[in-house]
Amino acid sequence: MPHLILEHSRNLSLKKDFKNFTEQLHSTFAKLETVRLSAVKTRTLVSDNIIVGEGSKHEFLFLKVLLLPGRSNDLKQKFTEVLKTVIKDHIYEDKCSFCIEIHELQFYFTQ
């Protein structure tokens, strides 16, 4: 069930290629406690019209993690720390503003 939704500026520059980055996020998350690889869904969204703060950084990355309810705050914090490490390994922090949000879904439908 978990979804990783990576929204980013079109001009996002990475230390490695984008495919490697998304595969790393996906596989690293899938190895965490209470997560099954077969259930993880990862996708990316490109944003063209962006403004970041006062303009000192010109790229952004926002990772939203959607989960079913029931995981402890400590476990969600661990998820955030592990994903932050992957992001920091791939972006240029002096150019990019990034954020991670963990969100519990209250309802879901699947087919």
Side-chain angles (χ1 to χ4, degrees):
M1 171 55 206
H3 289 259
L4 301 179
I5 304 167
L6 182 65
E7 183 182 354
H8 63 89
S9 56
R10 184 172 300 280
N11 66 338
L12 181 65
S13 55
L14 298 172
K15 298 173 185 175
K16 301 173 187 171
D17 67 86
F18 200 80
K19 184 176 183 195
N20 178 281
F21 177 43
T22 53
E23 288 174 350
Q24 184 92 35
L25 280 172
H26 186 90
S27 64
T28 300
F29 185 74
K31 293 174 186 170
L32 294 171
E33 181 182 345
T34 75
V35 179
R36 290 178 299 114
L37 175 60
S38 62
V40 179
K41 296 146 191 84
T42 301
R43 60 189 174 276
T44 64
L45 305 168
V46 178
S47 293
D48 286 315
N49 300 307
I50 66 159
I51 301 170
V52 180
E54 74 289 341
S56 63
K57 294 187 178 186
H58 303 287
E59 303 173 7
F60 90 93
L61 184 146
F62 175 64
L63 179 60
K64 184 177 224 176
V65 181
L66 302 175
L67 302 168
L68 291 176
R71 292 174 175 90
S72 70
N73 287 335
D74 287 343
L75 186 56
K76 288 185 272 187
Q77 183 63 39
K78 179 180 177 181
F79 288 176
T80 302
E81 292 301 319
V82 169
L83 292 168
K84 181 172 78 171
T85 299
V86 174
I87 290 170
K88 290 176 106 176
D89 284 346
H90 285 81
I91 66 168
Y92 296 99
E93 289 185 71
D94 60 326
K95 295 180 180 182
C96 185
S97 174
F98 77 93
C99 177
I100 300 169
E101 175 186 14
I102 304 280
H103 182 76
E104 285 189 349
L105 297 171
Q106 299 305 313
F107 304 97
Y108 76 100
F109 301 92
T110 185
Q111 292 185 5

